Amino acid sequence: MAARIASTSQRLRLHRSLAAVKYRTFSADAAARIRRRNAEFENDDGQLQRVAFPANNYDFLVEPSEYHPPLEEEHDNNSQVLSQAVSSPEPSYVKANYNYNVYQSSQPFQCEITDNPGQGILPQLEVAYETWGELNEAKDNAILLHTGLSASSHAASHEANPEPGWWQRFIGPGRALDTNRFFVVCSNNLAGCYGTTGPSHTNPDTQERYATQFPLVTVGDMVKAQFQLLDHLGIDKLHASVGSSLGGMQSLLAAAEYPERVGSCISISAGHKAHPTAIALRYMQRRIIMSDPHWSNGSYYDGKFPVVGMKHAREVATISYRSGPEWEQRFGRQRIEGARHSFMPEFLIETYLDHQGTTACLRYDPNSLLYISKAMDMFDMTEGFVTPLDSLSRIQCPTLVIGVQSDLLFPVSQQRDLVQLLKSGGNPRVTYFELDALYGHDTFLIDVHTVGAAVKGHLEHIPWV
């Protein structure tokens, strides 16, 4: 019998509800195919023996590899233990990404790295995207919102999908990205798993999933795909390019590569190249995933999903996303009530990491994490230029840079260097905010008051001449 992560009828009903959401996403023919596929995994009582994964993808079902205790049981137990800790804000993660738009191009997409499967050529390209606000008649009020590593296009709720998005409190009437004034576009990254072409998609030439035959992609490839989407939408010039983390990298590159099409640039908790500490942390996440035997060289889509690898990779990522000062305040050395000295979790901070891994491990495609994290590691805007100044001097539009003092992945030294290069390159309209915030790299997802106010001020009030 297939391994199951749910042990009660209530949890099986949850699995059914996830499948039901899938039908809202696709055409009638696609929904029928999903029903047939689900039927293959139902027992005599009509209960699903596999779970829809990722819930935001609605494309394939996987059988989670064995994990003890069952993931949902561990999730419930960890939640109970963590109720002892001081509360602290957590980012909003999308649980059901549906009713997004898809831009489809039948033209081959050439990736930057040609020493790649298929010489780096994707036979066709699909880009999942969502929008908020209205594009004005002049089509000059558009904001391109770039996402972080694992985010979907669902940055905020809208009529077709009322679920809160990952930047929910930043987007809307009167908010940082004011939809009374701006038309906001957000897409899922190339190589992602939430609708845009990625490793879990079927290669039209072979009719098999790409898996690790998907070509390595760069941040430049992601930006190129986004600008193809803008062409499709008829947007020649952006009011602004906005992004955080990987999105902040993309925002900078967009302003440098498409200077005539980007009116303003906002880069939050990012840099013009990957920091070695961040490279090391992401490398370890990839190694952990690849060491799970169920990863199967990336060909797990018809087999068992590498639960353990994804869980532990997410735990390492969590360490890089938050900060020591926050955890000192939030957890300290507080022990789990009744815990004995052992190699099992004894401190609340250990349970918190377990909880983060358990909660997130079935939410994202491991291969997408491999590809997109590698793209981040390879990112260096100065590569191929005689000096860093030659590269950064291409950005002459009004630019806002935000750094966070407690950020481990993108230390503030990177933002300071970036600002100095931009100013030395002749850009007189560079603004820098350095935040003394507790939440580390996750600050851009949490601190709507400080980050949001800075973004709103730049978009609406900075002189453009």
Side-chain angles (χ1 to χ4, degrees), residues 1-16 41-52 62-74 303-305 307 358 361-362:
M1 180 180 287
R4 296 165 58 188
I5 69 166
S7 58
T8 67
S9 60
Q10 181 180 13
R11 287 164 183 157
L12 286 168
R13 284 197 297 273
L14 171 62
H15 297 163
R16 278 195 169 278
F41 304 121
E42 290 179 353
N43 61 19
D44 294 338
D45 298 323
Q47 297 171 326
L48 286 177
Q49 301 298 299
R50 294 189 177 193
V51 296
V62 299
E63 177 186 341
S65 59
E66 296 80 4
Y67 186 83
H68 300 286
L71 289 174
E72 291 194 18
E73 179 181 323
E74 181 174 82
K304 291 188 175 183
F305 178 81
V307 167
T358 300
C361 66
L362 291 180

Side-chain angles (χ1 to χ4, degrees), residues 217-219 222 246 370-379:
V217 298
T218 65
V219 174
M222 297 174 188
L246 166 61
L370 298 183
Y371 276 88
I372 296 179
S373 69
K374 184 63 179 180
M376 293 181 72
D377 290 352
M378 292 188 291
F379 182 70

Side-chain angles (χ1 to χ4, degrees), residues 140-335:
D140 62 0
N141 69 328
I143 293 175
L144 179 59
L145 176 61
H146 309 269
T147 78
L149 188 157
S150 60
S152 72
S153 60
H154 192 61
S157 59
H158 49 75
E159 186 176 347
N161 182 353
E163 296 287 335
W166 56 267
W167 235 30
Q168 180 70 29
R169 296 185 299 159
F170 292 78
I171 301 171
R175 293 180 174 174
L177 275 58
D178 188 348
T179 51
N180 287 335
R181 304 178 62 156
F182 302 116
F183 178 65
V184 182
V185 180
C186 183
S187 68
N188 181 223
N189 282 319
L190 181 65
C193 59
Y194 298 143
T196 295
T197 302
S200 64
H201 278 223
T202 298
N203 183 337
D205 288 348
T206 65
Q207 294 304 307
E208 295 181 352
R209 296 191 187 276
Y210 282 103
T212 48
Q213 288 304 299
F214 196 78
L216 284 175
V217 298
T218 65
V219 174
D221 293 326
M222 297 174 188
V223 173
K224 177 182 173 182
Q226 291 166 345
F227 274 80
Q228 283 196 20
L229 169 62
L230 295 179
D231 292 339
H232 167 71
L233 296 174
I235 299 170
D236 293 328
K237 185 170 183 177
L238 294 166
H239 180 81
S241 173
V242 179
S244 308
S245 189
L246 166 61
M249 292 173 159
Q250 292 174 351
S251 186
L252 290 169
L253 191 62
E257 295 283 342
Y258 302 89
E260 73 287 352
R261 300 188 66 179
V262 178
S264 179
C265 172
I266 297 179
S267 178
I268 308 167
S269 296
H272 62 279
K273 59 184 176 182
H275 192 276
T277 298
I279 293 173
L281 287 163
R282 287 189 289 263
Y283 171 74
M284 286 310 303
Q285 292 173 56
R286 293 193 295 272
R287 295 296 292 177
I288 289 168
I289 290 171
M290 295 167 70
S291 68
D292 187 324
H294 295 295
W295 179 65
S296 300
N297 292 319
S299 299
Y300 50 79
Y301 296 109
D302 295 318
K304 291 188 175 183
F305 178 81
V307 167
V308 175
M310 273 299 284
K311 180 179 185 296
H312 295 326
R314 178 65 189 189
E315 290 162 357
V316 171
T318 299
I319 294 171
S320 70
Y321 294 156
R322 306 301 280 227
S323 79
E326 181 209 359
W327 285 351
E328 177 65 36
Q329 182 182 102
R330 186 175 179 183
F331 302 111
R333 291 181 52 80
Q334 190 174 353
R335 285 180 163 81

Side-chain angles (χ1 to χ4, degrees), residues 450-464:
T450 307
V451 175
V455 169
K456 185 175 179 66
H458 181 81
L459 292 175
E460 298 179 8
H461 303 301
I462 285 188
W464 291 79

